[in-house]
Amino acid sequence: MEAHVGKHILVRSEELRERIEEYIDKSGLKPGDKLPSERAFAEALGTSRVTLRDALMRMQDEGLIETRHGKGSFIAPPKFEEDARSFLSCTSGWEADGFKVSSEVLSFLEKEAGAKAARMLNIPIGESVFELKRVRRLDGVPVFIETSNIPSCRVPGLKKYDFSSCSLYTVLEKDYGIVLTQQMQTFSITHLSEKEARWLGVDQDTPAFYICGTTFDAAGTPTEFTVSINRADRYNVSAWLTRQTPAMDSEG
């Protein structure tokens, strides 16, 4: 019985969410505009405040609206959307989409590779790597914290570069002859640490993606191990998927 009731509430919440989106569209509300108060909105939509609150919370989790304590709910700014089908450097990829990319270097040091970095780069634990940690901004908005690890033996003298003003991938290609062509990534959900939240300028309970990846050069050698912490309220990833075995459709 409890499961049935929960499912019923979920369906009502999803139906209400569609009505809220219709309201936003017909009212011509733009990012930053305020929604009616919870009480007035529930009365206008002919629903309970409990059901309305659940629908708004789901929309907030998806980054469609944002709630400001003591002020109400507002239309959230659009997300920065990344196409997962192609691999490009952060700078060239986002700039090609019309965004201004800027970086703040949080740390840049040479250290011994830990177990995970060594495994992902296929090098011995303890081998020297350069670790570059940056906050990446799109149109001035801090969107993700990116940490890159590269074996030091492949990029001697890398510390001389200022990566707050130049592209890592451009330096690798032009000065070291390393062309990065492929990247394998895994996505999971994480909780921001107090420091990460401060770097991104958000509350510590803001949802975020934890993206772990290995980048390969043209010869297929693992060259860069990356960890990226991306704000889920401002970042989205999309992909166009194609079925590879259409002949199996007849089998179900």
Side-chain angles (χ1 to χ4, degrees):
M1 181 64 179
E2 291 182 0
H4 176 74
V5 172
K7 183 177 181 180
H8 180 64
I9 293 174
L10 177 61
V11 171
R12 291 175 57 195
S13 175
E14 287 302 309
E15 290 175 347
L16 181 58
R17 174 225 173 98
E18 292 184 5
R19 293 172 59 195
I20 294 172
E21 291 181 340
E22 289 177 3
Y23 173 89
I24 292 172
D25 183 60
K26 291 180 180 179
S27 301
L29 297 179
K30 305 297 181 185
D33 288 345
K34 185 179 180 180
L35 292 173
S37 69
E38 189 178 276
R39 180 176 180 179
F41 209 7
E43 292 178 354
L45 295 172
T47 189
S48 70
R49 294 176 68 175
V50 173
T51 306
L52 174 66
R53 194 175 300 126
D54 184 69
L56 291 176
M57 286 181 64
R58 290 178 180 275
M59 294 179 72
Q60 181 176 329
D61 289 342
E62 294 181 33
L64 300 174
I65 66 171
E66 55 187 17
T67 301
R68 303 172 191 170
H69 185 67
K71 296 183 178 180
S73 297
F74 299 78
I75 307 299
K79 292 187 177 184
F80 301 101
E81 185 162 304
E82 185 170 19
D83 188 343
R85 293 174 298 171
S86 58
F87 166 60
L88 295 168
S89 74
C90 172
T91 302
S92 61
W94 288 107
E95 286 184 347
D97 289 335
F99 298 104
K100 178 180 173 58
V101 181
S102 58
S103 303
E104 176 189 353
V105 175
L106 299 173
S107 63
F108 187 18
L109 49 90
E110 192 168 8
K111 57 181 287 188
E112 293 183 354
K116 187 170 185 178
R119 183 174 70 254
M120 301 297 278
L121 290 168
N122 195 25
I123 60 176
I125 294 177
E127 183 168 317
S128 179
V129 296
F130 285 112
E131 182 189 79
L132 172 63
K133 185 186 296 289
R134 292 173 289 178
V135 172
R136 313 304 295 271
R137 294 183 172 87
L138 303 178
D139 287 346
V141 179
V143 179
F144 45 99
I145 303 166
E146 184 180 71
T147 304
S148 298
N149 290 267
I150 300 175
S152 302
C153 62
R154 299 203 62 187
V155 286
L158 191 67
K159 284 275 288 182
K160 68 184 178 183
Y161 295 93
D162 178 6
F163 290 110
S164 64
S165 59
C166 63
S167 164
L168 173 61
Y169 284 13
T170 297
V171 167
L172 293 180
E173 184 170 346
K174 290 187 174 180
D175 293 2
Y176 293 94
I178 299 174
V179 180
L180 301 178
T181 59
Q182 297 182 75
Q183 188 174 72
M184 182 278 295
Q185 293 183 331
T186 57
F187 286 68
S188 56
I189 304 300
T190 189
H191 296 285
L192 298 175
S193 68
E194 181 180 351
K195 187 176 294 185
E196 289 166 344
R198 185 170 68 251
W199 286 334
L200 291 173
V202 297
D203 294 333
Q204 196 169 342
D205 61 355
T206 300
F209 291 108
Y210 179 90
I211 307 174
C212 183
T214 303
T215 314
F216 301 84
D217 65 15
T221 304
T223 302
E224 178 196 31
F225 165 57
T226 64
V227 171
S228 186
I229 308 295
N230 295 27
R231 289 172 53 180
D233 65 323
R234 295 304 311 272
Y235 169 86
N236 198 19
V237 61
S238 64
W240 182 277
L241 306 179
T242 302
R243 184 178 173 86
Q244 297 298 314
T245 54
M248 294 181 63
D249 286 348
S250 61
E251 300 176 9

